[in-house]
Every structure is written in C-alpha cells, then in structure tokens.
Amino acid sequence: HNIHGMRNTRRKRPYQKRWVKFLPLTTVVLVCSLSLWHHSQLEALHSKTAATTIMPIKKTDVSAVDASKQRRRRGRRLDSFAGLNHTIAPVTVPLHASSGTHHVQMYIGSPPQRQTLIIDTGSRLMAFPCEPCRSCGSHASKKYFDPVLSTTDNMPTCGSCMLEGISKCSEFSTVGNVKGVKNKKCIISQKYTEGSSWTAYELEDLVWMGASDHKESIGMEYMKMAVPYVFGCQTSEKGLFRKQYADGILGLAIHESSLVQALYDARSINRLAFSLCLTRTGGSLSAGGIATEERHLEPIRFTPIARDHGWFALTVERVLLGSVCLAGCYSKDASPSSGVDYEDTVLEAFHGGKGTILDSGTTDTYLPQAIAERFQKVWSRLTVGLHYARRKYKYSYAEYEKLPSISFQFANNVTLTVDPESYMESVSTSTTLSRDPWEGTRELVNRIYIDEPTGAVLGANTMLGHDILFDIQGKQ
C-alpha cells in the first residue's frame, strides 16, 4: 500500500451460520439472543469458495437523486439478475465522506461498539485499533474497540489462525493481554511504501454494517446481516495511519475471507455481490446487489473482471479525453489533427503490472505515465491554452466549462465517463463543485495524475455519480 498526502489517499499493492428466526422481542433481548446464537455457531464459520468479479456501470440523474441512490453504467449486458431468487433483498447502508474518502459504520461485538471504516475495494482485510493501543492515533470514534467489553469475541491462536497467508504466529506477545503472558497470537503486519504501517492480531467477533444512529443500527434491518467475522485488532499505527480520520479499513477485494463472502456463506445475502453509490458527501453500500434501479438513467451494463482474485481489474480498450482518442486508437479514427499517432501502443501501459483497477480506497485517479505526453498536448488544445497541472489554480466559470471529460472504454463496450465535477476538487471545504455558474474565480485542483509507472488506479473520484455493482458471483 502507498498513501499519498494527508487526504487519506491510499495506494494498494498488496462461516457458515444457520439462519435464526427471532420473535419480535425488544432490542435488548434481540442482542442477547444473537449473542447466544453466536457462541453456538462459532466453530462452524469458515466455508470458503474462490470467486472472481466483473462490474457494471450505470448512469443516474445526480442532480435529482438522493445521495444514497446515484450512479452510472454503459455497455452490452453480459449477465442479468433475471433468474435469481429475490427472497433476500439487498441490504443498503449509508456512507459518509471526509476528505474524499468514503466510510461505513461498522458495529462489532456484544454489546456493539461502533467503528468508522474506509470502504476499500483495493484490499481484503478489516482492521481498526483495539484497547490497549498506546501508539494509535485519535480517530472518528474517539474510542478504540475494547474486546474485554464484548461477550462474543474469540481470539484465534497459533495452529488455528484464520487469515491464512496473512497472519504469522507470535510465540510470545503482551499485546492485548496481561503483560508477560504467553499467548501465541496470530499477528498481522502491513507496511506501505511511503513509511506508514500497522500491526494487529486476529480477533473474531460478531460484526455488521449500520448507520450513524446507534439505536437504528441495532434494529433488525441491520442486525440481520450480523455474522461472525475475523478482523485485525490493531495494536500499533505509524505514519499517516495515526493521523487519518477513519478508525480503520474495510477491505472488499475478491477473496474467500472477505466480509461479503462471509455474508453470502451465512445466507444473509442472496448473491455474492455488492454495489457502491458514491457522492461527494457520502452515498450508499448495498450488500447482495443493487438496492434499486428506479433512478438509473440507463440499464445496467457489465464488463468482465480481468483477474480471478484480489483486485477488481478491468480490461481497458480505449481512453478518450473529450472526443479525442488517447489510447486504443486505430488508423480509422486517428488523424493529423487528433493529436495522436496512427500507430498506438500507449494502451499496453494500462494492461501492465496490476492492470487497471477500480479502487474505492484510493481518493484520486492515477493513469500510466506513458499517456502523459498525449494527455497534456490534447488537454492544452481542448481547453484553449490551459495547461494541465496538479497544482491549485483559480478558474473562472468560462475556463471551467472548457475542461474535458475523460472516458474509459472497457471490454463489452462498457464506457465509464468521468466529468470535471468528479475529477476537479474545490480547495475550499465549504464549496462543492456543480454545473451552476459562479462569479469571479474558484480555486480548484486537478485530481487526475499521469505518473503511474505501469497500470492505472481508478480511484473514488472516478466512481462519483455512478452506481457500480461488483458482481463477484457473476464474475462481472
């Protein structure tokens, strides 16, 4: 993982339960019942199946739709949900945004403790600080998760570590226990190229996604998604992790140990899928599919995922700035006036290394440096002399109107178009970009970077204004 800047911008490199029917009891009784049930099921958690994914992209009327229901998609249908059993509807939870990063409220343990987590399609772990953590920062929830207060926690030890290939056995640890007690914990360590890192141990407890309102979140609508799940109980944070707003991170990448897989195995959701609807101020996450298509301006379109595991990598076939082709250009649509060569090899850079990935945990978008020269040349021509730059610049509305959209065309004729209101960011935290004209100038900064060594990262700003379905089961 790499973290760029102080905006929580991130770069990533690297149970089964029986359904229990509850009577309409009080909230307190419900929590107790679920806790007792959890104890009886704790040993039968880990049914794992490999999965791949593919994604759709749909268009929504951003100006007229509630923030939790906006998004976009284009392309030819590959697979539909027509033959599915819809007896279990997708469950939708609200998201909120801070500094360009989107967060979900996660409830853990019995009684539940809330943690604010970054939603991250570019990693697979869930982790946040736990008591006691003397080297962790102050975050959104103000309090660390305290395993001592939960009656449903379970700590895997050496020989029974659950995050295979990630955890390693610690023969002697004082983390989270009485000092000097030999406990053989399953330790997780994550390091990032800019110097940040964190260390955690495996802990298993009852978890579910909810809303900011605690009382609402322990209602049946949300608690029906409660599943036993293994996460990283952080005992130290270094670098930007100590300074970030979020308590921790919720990894949603393709993996048999993901929370979405756990929800599917527990039959809490009907389909191994989730969707993200991101806006500047928040949005929504729907587990099990898409909550509603009523406000979509176009039908869902699907494109295959290029990897069977890990990142949500897409096959890029063409890239356009405005109407000008930058990559994937052919002689039939290239011309001396287009600013591109007849023989186009830039597209190969989008397929190198990790490929082109959709990563909600990365705030901004990073294109391969191989496209830089063409990008800058075409940008200057389309904007009539405005030079492409990542620094702050004061734009008049007339200048802002000249900024081009960026379009990514994926396999199966699926096109994702990113407008200036998504990739440009207002320097003033009190100002949100819109198409409404303004007087004078506004200080904006471009959040499209053209310096990625190989491959591309389409971050959260690329996803704004779209409803993106990550259909792992349908491999699309």
Side-chain angles (χ1 to χ4, degrees):
H1 299 269
N2 298 323
I3 302 178
H4 295 271
M6 296 301 298
R7 307 173 58 256
N8 292 326
T9 302
R10 298 177 179 275
R11 306 293 304 283
K12 281 122 211 131
R13 312 290 186 233
Y15 318 34
Q16 286 187 345
K17 74 174 174 70
R18 298 189 202 99
W19 185 248
V20 177
K21 199 170 189 178
F22 292 101
L23 296 174
L25 305 177
T26 65
T27 300
V28 174
V29 175
L30 176 60
V31 172
C32 292
S33 299
L34 197 53
S35 299
L36 290 171
W37 162 78
H38 168 71
H39 279 301
S40 69
Q41 297 297 316
L42 202 54
E43 299 303 320
L45 301 179
H46 301 285
S47 167
K48 298 181 180 180
T49 55
T52 63
T53 28
I54 305 175
M55 316 174 133
I57 305 163
K58 253 188 192 174
K59 202 166 188 177
T60 304
D61 185 356
V62 177
S63 63
V65 182
D66 178 82
S68 66
K69 298 179 180 178
Q70 308 170 2
R71 251 42 1 198
R72 234 184 286 196
R73 291 173 192 207
R74 296 182 184 140
R76 179 172 61 82
R77 271 185 192 268
L78 287 185
D79 178 33
S80 72
F81 289 175
L84 294 181
N85 175 7
H86 290 283
T87 56
I88 305 175
V91 178
T92 301
V93 297
L95 302 175
H96 73 275
S98 176
S99 300
T101 306
H102 293 76
H103 310 89
V104 65
Q105 303 295 348
M106 186 67 67
Y107 289 80
I108 309 102
S110 306
Q113 301 173 54
R114 188 180 71 192
Q115 294 286 287
T116 299
L117 307 182
I118 295 169
I119 54 164
D120 182 17
T121 59
S123 67
R124 59 177 175 169
L125 293 176
M126 182 170 84
F128 43 81
C130 292
E131 291 285 1
C133 186
R134 297 178 179 84
S135 60
C136 294
S138 177
H139 305 300
S141 296
K142 305 303 179 185
K143 293 182 179 180
Y144 304 147
F145 176 75
D146 191 347
V148 174
L149 300 179
S150 179
T151 62
T152 50
D153 70 307
N154 171 56
M155 188 182 71
T157 55
C158 294
S160 62
C161 295
M162 296 181 178
L163 297 176
E164 187 177 348
I166 302 175
S167 301
K168 62 182 180 180
C169 186
S170 174
E171 290 292 330
F172 191 83
S173 173
T174 60
V175 171
N177 272 38
V178 178
K179 188 175 182 180
V181 174
K182 192 172 183 179
N183 52 48
K184 297 185 178 180
K185 289 186 175 180
C186 303
I187 301 299
I188 309 165
S189 294
Q190 294 286 298
K191 295 183 178 179
Y192 302 77
T193 56
E194 45 52 72
S196 294
S197 65
W198 55 263
T199 301
Y201 62 92
E202 281 189 13
L203 191 68
E204 180 184 47
D205 210 333
L206 209 58
V207 308
W208 68 95
M209 296 178 288
S212 297
D213 184 85
H214 189 278
K215 185 176 181 180
E216 179 186 359
S217 298
I218 60 176
M220 206 42 202
E221 177 62 26
Y222 291 121
M223 281 199 70
K224 66 184 180 184
M225 285 199 301
V227 291
Y229 188 64
V230 181
F231 54 89
C233 219
Q234 291 175 338
T235 57
S236 71
E237 296 175 319
K238 294 182 180 178
L240 298 178
F241 274 97
R242 295 192 67 178
K243 303 172 184 177
Q244 70 180 11
Y245 165 79
D247 298 301
I249 194 164
L250 172 61
L252 294 170
I254 311 164
H255 197 266
E256 56 268 23
S257 64
S258 73
L259 178 60
V260 177
Q261 183 74 52
L263 289 168
Y264 181 71
D265 291 343
R267 300 182 183 178
S268 295
I269 55 176
N270 194 61
R271 189 170 179 88
L272 185 57
F274 67 94
S275 60
L276 294 178
C277 173
L278 305 184
T279 71
R280 283 284 184 193
T281 57
S284 64
L285 183 158
S286 295
I290 286 180
T292 178
E293 297 185 35
E294 294 177 1
R295 303 298 185 106
H296 291 167
L297 301 179
E298 299 175 353
I300 274 194
R301 306 298 180 187
F302 292 84
T303 185
I305 287 298
R307 289 174 177 264
D308 291 340
H309 217 63
W311 290 311
F312 292 96
L314 305 179
T315 300
V316 177
E317 295 186 342
R318 216 164 176 232
V319 180
L320 294 91
L321 189 59
S323 60
V324 180
C325 181
L326 299 182
C329 309
Y330 305 103
S331 58
K332 65 180 181 180
D333 49 43
S335 65
S337 62
S338 68
V340 300
D341 301 327
Y342 279 81
E343 188 176 345
D344 184 10
T345 58
V346 174
L347 188 64
E348 297 175 9
F350 283 86
H351 303 150
K354 63 190 172 296
T356 296
I357 65 172
L358 272 174
D359 184 0
S360 64
T362 296
T363 307
D364 303 329
T365 289
Y366 299 80
L367 304 183
Q369 57 190 16
I371 205 173
E373 184 178 351
R374 292 184 182 180
F375 192 99
Q376 292 170 323
K377 182 186 296 183
V378 174
W379 178 280
S380 181
R381 180 162 60 84
L382 293 177
T383 59
V384 193
L386 282 177
H387 295 290
Y388 163 81
R390 296 180 312 191
R391 63 179 181 271
K392 300 173 186 177
Y393 182 83
K394 292 183 178 179
Y395 290 83
S396 66
Y397 184 73
E399 290 174 322
Y400 176 74
E401 273 196 312
K402 295 175 185 176
L403 300 182
S405 59
I406 304 169
S407 297
F408 301 94
Q409 195 171 91
F410 304 113
N412 297 311
N413 197 33
V414 174
T415 300
L416 171 64
T417 298
V418 186
D419 297 322
E421 52 262 44
S422 294
Y423 68 76
M424 297 298 288
E425 185 176 85
S426 177
V427 174
S428 171
T429 56
S430 62
T431 304
T432 301
L433 276 180
S434 69
R435 295 191 176 112
D436 297 331
W438 62 78
E439 299 293 330
T441 61
R442 282 188 183 178
E443 194 170 29
L444 309 176
V445 61
N446 194 325
R447 292 300 182 182
I448 298 291
Y449 297 78
I450 49 177
D451 57 3
E452 189 75 358
T454 185
V457 179
L458 306 184
N461 62 348
T462 300
M463 304 182 198
L464 295 175
H466 299 79
D467 197 0
I468 302 185
L469 172 65
F470 298 78
D471 181 18
I472 302 169
Q473 185 171 334
K475 300 182 179 181
Q476 57 192 5

